[in-house]
Amino acid sequence: MKLSVVIPIYNEKGTIREIYHAVQAVDIDKEIVLVDDYSTDGTREILAELAGGNTRVVLHDRNQGKGAALRTGFQNVTGDIVIIQDADLEYDPGQYHKLVQPILEGKADVVYGSRFCTGEYRRVLFFWHMVGNKFLTLLSNMMTNLNLTDMETCYKVFRREVLDGIRIEENRFGFEPEITAKIAKMDLRIYEIGISYAGRTYKEGKKIGWKDGFSALKCIVKYNLFR
């Protein structure tokens, strides 16, 4: 079994080395696909240093968004299992083993790492982000008839064959409700595992905002009712 770690990146000069080395430190057979979405802060120069060995770097020629970076990353994986890893330090790669376990045991096709269904540590931050997240998850669940606790989580793990059957259309953060709607229609075994979460503030580099919440709302309706 080989794990493909897809890391979408945009202006993460301050964190990319640390998260990259944290991923490399995980004792698991893996490849790392770093997709830079046209960073302008010096991130690309760091990525040039990291390329080689089990690491592939793919560069966008213009900024398109997280969904577009993931679409590019998925097209470049060769592993049996694919996991999404954000380039910041909010999610801990040390939890890969438990995230892939249900797939390795033959129980799951897709695994979501939940920040809310958890006994792990979680940094206390924005109340209204939590409310928005839970509202979007609830609405998504109503449309998909799933009972997820964290639809918007970064940590989504797939058997590669699942991704081979999905065409990603959204370029930005609408990827999360889009992929959830599409896997819900595929008669897959979906599991959820509690994860730790060390969220960051906007001063620390957080990028998602209220406009992305409205976009997610539209995507929930679009991909559940009109696709």
Side-chain angles (χ1 to χ4, degrees), residues 23 69 75-76 122 171-172 186 195-196 208:
V23 172
Q75 292 167 354
N76 283 273
R122 178 170 63 88
N171 284 341
R172 288 185 55 79
M186 294 174 67
I195 59 168
S196 61
I208 194 167

Side-chain angles (χ1 to χ4, degrees), residues 53-104:
N54 69 345
T55 303
R56 182 181 302 110
V57 174
V58 185
L59 305 177
H60 280 180
D61 59 6
R62 59 187 175 88
N63 180 253
Q64 300 175 64
K66 181 179 180 179
L70 289 173
R71 182 168 59 240
T72 297
F74 296 157
Q75 292 167 354
N76 283 273
V77 298
T78 62
D80 307 290
I81 300 175
V82 181
I83 187 169
I84 300 168
Q85 172 70 57
D86 280 353
D88 53 35
L89 303 174
E90 294 187 335
Y91 294 84
D92 177 14
Q95 302 194 315
Y96 286 177
H97 284 285
K98 72 174 184 177
L99 285 163
V100 303
Q101 195 61 35
I103 296 178
L104 293 179

Side-chain angles (χ1 to χ4, degrees), residues 122-190:
R122 178 170 63 88
R123 184 180 179 183
V124 176
L125 276 176
F126 306 113
F127 171 75
W128 290 110
H129 273 221
M130 179 197 68
V131 171
N133 191 313
K134 291 194 172 184
F135 172 74
L136 291 172
T137 298
L138 174 63
L139 183 59
S140 175
N141 285 344
M142 291 170 65
M143 297 283 189
T144 60
N145 198 30
L146 300 176
N147 63 341
L148 294 168
T149 64
D150 192 3
M151 179 269 294
E152 293 278 350
T153 182
C154 156
Y155 272 165
K156 294 179 173 68
V157 191
F158 310 89
R159 288 193 305 106
R160 197 181 81 203
E161 292 83 358
V162 172
L163 292 176
D164 289 343
I166 296 175
R167 183 172 69 91
I168 303 302
E169 301 173 55
E170 292 298 314
N171 284 341
R172 288 185 55 79
F173 293 102
F175 164 82
E176 314 292 358
E178 177 191 0
I179 194 73
T180 303
K182 289 181 174 179
I183 64 172
K185 295 176 181 180
M186 294 174 67
D187 192 29
L188 299 172
R189 300 165 299 170
I190 304 169

Side-chain angles (χ1 to χ4, degrees), residues 4-19:
S4 294
V5 183
V6 177
I7 309 181
I9 305 159
Y10 178 64
N11 287 348
E12 296 289 0
K13 180 180 178 180
T15 61
I16 186 58
R17 278 195 183 92
E18 185 173 351
I19 194 63

